Amino acid sequence: MTNIILCGGNGTRLWPISRTLLPKQFVKLFSNKSLFQLTVERNSKICNSQFIVSNSEQYFLALDQLEELNKTNNKYLLEPIGRNTAPAIALACMELDYDELVLVTPSDHLIKNEIEYSKVLEIAKELAQKNNLVTFGITPKFAETGFGYIESENSYDVKAFHEKPNFETATKYLEAGNYYWNSGMFMFKAGVFLDELKKYSLEIFDNCTKALNNASKDGIVRIKHEDMINIPEDSIDYAVMEKSNLVKVVPSNINWSDVGSFDALYEELPQNENGNTLNDKHISIDSKNNLVYGNEKVIAT
């Protein structure tokens, strides 16, 4: 199995920790490791290779951080501009064998229950071997309005995808018990995904094929700017998952976070008895419940 790691995001909601030249997936937020490094470590237990899809600036960050992990034998595909997840995944899949199983993951998610995660991957693997497109539905902890939802029926069958709801609708989803947060993680055979993309989003398929034929390949696949511009911008959900009849969802209670906001970051960082995040340079005087983030300078609250 190949782990396709999507590195293109900018993590703008975590600015100024996350910046254009050092987006959140490469910031060493947890135990002196980045979310990207944690993703690679977690998934290399089940995948035997990594395929990094990123832009040119982030390529060097990925390269350096993979060297720190002693993982140097990786594939790279560099996009001059982002066209969302459907083209990124399609271009990577076109470089793989038809029957190669791929685990598609963003590079900036945190998963803390790795025992449960490996069980969920095994279920997904069985479903993907049978030519299904598998998505992972996160068991919701609260009525979150910032995520899309997947409605399931009969264990792994998908009834519908739902856009980000308002609070009232999200509360109903939570109470129903068969709605899951859309994690943006997938597993399928490379060729099965491309067949479905061709069926439902032919323009993306054709332009990705052209772009790849024109790409320079010197161990790294570099897509030309003018070819990338011609690929329609679309997410894998819109382009394929919401239209295909082959989609399955695996409910995943894996202690997952997309660390997409300062609130989410605060929840994941270790805290002291006053609810302040732990920091060697922090002096606290009667202060509670603070996210304290810094490196060398002393911070007093």
Side-chain angles (χ1 to χ4, degrees):
M1 194 179 337
T2 297
N3 181 199
I4 296 175
I5 304 178
L6 305 174
C7 290
N10 288 325
T12 47
R13 285 183 293 162
L14 277 188
W15 184 89
I17 292 175
S18 175
R19 305 182 299 285
T20 306
L21 295 177
L22 189 68
K24 80 166 182 192
Q25 59 269 34
F26 296 111
V27 179
K28 294 189 174 177
L29 292 170
F30 302 101
S31 312
N32 204 29
K33 284 188 179 155
S34 69
L35 291 165
F36 170 72
Q37 287 176 314
L38 293 172
T39 299
V40 171
E41 284 188 334
R42 184 168 59 239
N43 292 335
S44 27
K45 290 168 191 166
I46 188 166
C47 300
N48 44 359
S49 63
Q50 285 79 37
F51 198 152
I52 316 297
V53 181
S54 88
N55 59 40
S56 311
E57 291 85 48
Q58 292 168 359
Y59 162 67
F60 294 104
L61 291 169
L63 203 62
D64 288 348
Q65 294 200 352
L66 285 163
E67 272 180 16
E68 287 175 21
L69 300 178
N70 292 324
K71 295 199 180 294
T72 49
N73 189 19
N74 308 292
K75 290 182 175 169
Y76 294 91
L77 187 141
L78 304 187
E79 302 176 312
I81 50 162
R83 304 304 278 160
N84 213 324
T85 51
I89 295 164
L91 288 164
C93 285
M94 286 173 176
E95 283 289 290
L96 299 169
D97 292 340
Y98 186 96
D99 285 325
E100 177 71 13
L101 275 182
V102 297
L103 171 62
V104 178
T105 60
S107 56
D108 58 354
H109 289 179
L110 186 65
I111 292 169
K112 293 206 286 198
N113 190 340
E114 291 202 21
I115 294 166
E116 194 57 35
Y117 182 60
S118 58
K119 289 180 193 168
V120 161
L121 291 182
E122 284 304 324
I123 295 167
K125 200 171 172 181
E126 278 181 42
L127 292 166
Q129 299 275 25
K130 295 173 184 165
N131 296 335
N132 292 300
L133 305 179
V134 183
T135 184
F136 297 86
I138 305 299
T139 310
K141 299 179 196 160
F142 47 86
E144 169 63 68
T145 57
F147 300 140
Y149 283 72
I150 301 166
E151 183 183 357
S152 75
E153 58 181 358
N154 309 331
S155 65
Y156 303 126
D157 292 336
V158 174
K159 189 174 180 185
F161 284 81
H162 298 277
E163 294 294 316
K164 294 172 184 175
N166 59 28
F167 183 73
E168 193 185 341
T169 309
T171 306
K172 284 179 184 163
Y173 289 170
L174 198 65
E175 287 163 0
N178 62 325
Y179 287 77
Y180 301 94
W181 292 339
N182 190 345
S183 69
M185 301 190 300
F186 309 93
M187 194 189 289
F188 36 68
K189 288 180 185 172
V192 173
F193 169 72
L194 291 172
D195 287 347
E196 292 296 279
L197 181 73
K198 193 174 183 179
K199 190 191 291 184
Y200 296 110
S201 298
L202 183 61
E203 201 183 341
I204 293 177
F205 180 88
D206 284 347
N207 282 290
C208 282
T209 306
K210 279 180 205 157
L212 214 51
N213 289 340
N214 293 336
S216 72
K217 299 181 185 181
D218 52 353
I220 299 166
V221 182
R222 298 173 200 269
I223 307 295
K224 291 189 167 70
H225 192 275
E226 59 272 24
D227 290 325
M228 201 77 204
I229 289 271
N230 290 331
I231 302 172
E233 195 171 344
D234 209 354
S235 71
I236 179 176
D237 288 330
Y238 283 140
V240 177
M241 303 302 278
E242 293 181 13
K243 296 167 182 164
S244 172
N245 301 318
L246 305 179
V247 179
K248 301 288 182 190
V249 60
V250 179
S252 308
N253 195 357
I254 53 179
N255 207 341
W256 169 95
S257 170
D258 73 340
V259 200
S261 65
F262 282 105
D263 284 338
L265 179 59
Y266 174 78
E267 291 297 324
E268 301 304 339
L269 290 170
Q271 298 157 14
N272 65 17
E273 65 279 6
N274 291 322
N276 297 317
T277 56
L278 301 179
N279 188 304
D280 294 342
K281 301 280 184 182
H282 178 216
I283 297 167
S284 166
I285 302 169
D286 298 335
S287 62
K288 292 185 172 65
N289 306 327
N290 293 294
L291 165 56
V292 180
Y293 182 87
N295 296 316
E296 296 309 312
K297 291 185 178 178
V298 173
I299 298 168
T301 55

